Every structure is written in C-alpha cells, then in structure tokens.
Amino acid sequence: MNLRALAGEIIITDRELPTIFLQRAVPNLVIDIGGEGRHAEAWKLNLSPIKTLGPDRGSPIPRLILGRAEAIPLPNQCASVIFMERTPLRVEALREIRRVIRDDGTIILRHSIPPTLEPHRTACRFLPGRAFRRWFQVSGRWMQETVFQPRLAQSSLFQTSTGRLPVE
C-alpha cells in the first residue's frame, strides 16, 4: 500500500487497496467523488490534492484518495455511502460506483439541472436498487437529488424494464 502525508492528512494513492485495511480502518467508508471537503466524514476522491473552489482555495483537500470516478482505486463492495455532486455522470463512473458500493449501501447523486432535463436518467437505468428523487433550489439554481439503495433492488417499485423510478 502506498500512503503519503500532505499537511497531516493521509492520501491513498494505490489502485488496489487491501480490503482488510478498509474493513479495519474505515468500517463505514463514505466516498465523495470529486469532493473537496463539503462532507467532513467522507474520503474525497479527486485528481487534485488542492481545493479549487471556495474560501479555502489552494489548501489541501482533507481525507484525499487520488483518483477519478472512472477508475476508483478501491476494492469491490467497500463503500457504505457514495456522494457524487456536480461531477460528470459518465457510464464508466456509474460502473465503478456500482462496483464499489456495498449491497446495503446508499448512493447520493446531486446535480444542477436545466428545467427540462433529468441529469440522473442514465444512472436510474444503470444503478441497482430503489431510487428516490427530489428537486430543490440553491442560490436560485434548481438541483436534482437522487438516492439509490441497492439492497432494495428487488422492490417492485423500481421498474428496471422501463428505467422509470418512483417519485416519493
């Protein structure tokens, strides 16, 4: 395992981390894909070790895992929660999210939306489980949040044949 420190924080740089390390060190692993610090409890998966937004721009990203969504450097089914906000939703990234989320995990997608588009349409067809979605405004911009719970994959409310999801 290749670990190095940056400003007192551990940065994980290996493609393959031993599952035993994750189970002992991070039993409830929370990943924020593309994150820079919004979710304090999460490990931030980012290509840059330095924050690029906000008042802390230029400071180190805490709890950093160097990597990208299309090639998450973690073992299968190791994450209990995955956040993905304002990061492009590519099919390759969705495959990786599906690979690293635990069966009893939760996936939370949040993206700004133009009024007529559904940014999570592909994710609803691709990710397993029951999906819940809501829309809200932040600083005048509409956001869509979709929460997936893979363990509820057998639910009759999730219609995999049409890609439609229940609105609750």
Side-chain angles (χ1 to χ4, degrees):
M1 180 172 356
N2 182 8
L3 299 177
R4 61 185 173 95
L6 176 69
E9 293 290 340
I10 293 177
I11 298 175
I12 302 174
T13 59
D14 270 355
R15 170 74 178 122
E16 296 297 329
L17 289 177
T19 304
I20 192 76
F21 168 78
L22 290 168
Q23 290 173 342
R24 289 185 183 169
V26 190
N28 294 308
L29 182 65
V30 178
I31 301 170
D32 184 358
I33 297 175
E36 294 188 352
R38 178 182 173 131
H39 304 285
E41 76 284 7
W43 286 86
K44 286 69 170 180
L45 179 70
N46 204 311
L47 283 174
S48 171
I50 305 298
K51 292 183 180 187
T52 59
L53 301 170
D56 295 334
R57 179 188 286 176
S59 63
I61 296 174
R63 300 180 67 136
L64 175 67
I65 300 172
L66 286 175
R68 59 184 305 129
E70 293 82 4
I72 299 173
L74 297 170
N76 297 345
Q77 296 190 344
C78 66
S80 56
V81 177
I82 297 176
F83 289 99
M84 189 172 193
E85 303 174 326
R86 301 179 309 266
T87 303
L89 282 171
R90 297 185 180 100
V91 172
E92 296 84 7
L94 294 171
R95 280 190 186 110
E96 283 292 278
I97 289 170
R98 187 174 182 159
R99 181 183 66 78
V100 300
I101 194 70
R102 293 179 185 165
D103 289 336
D104 62 346
T106 300
I107 303 162
I108 303 166
L109 306 177
R110 289 187 191 122
H111 291 83
S112 63
I113 55 170
T116 59
L117 296 180
E118 276 193 55
H120 302 151
R121 179 177 289 151
T122 300
C124 290
R125 291 183 180 137
F126 196 83
L127 294 174
R130 190 167 175 191
F132 305 87
R133 63 181 171 180
R134 70 183 182 112
W135 293 266
F136 56 95
Q137 280 189 306
V138 175
S139 301
R141 296 191 76 179
W142 280 99
M143 302 288 290
Q144 180 177 338
E145 175 181 80
T146 306
V147 178
F148 296 88
Q149 295 178 314
R151 70 179 152 180
L152 300 176
Q154 302 305 315
S155 169
S156 62
L157 293 176
F158 186 75
Q159 301 172 10
T160 55
S161 61
T162 64
R164 294 191 139 337
L165 58 139
V167 178
E168 298 188 9

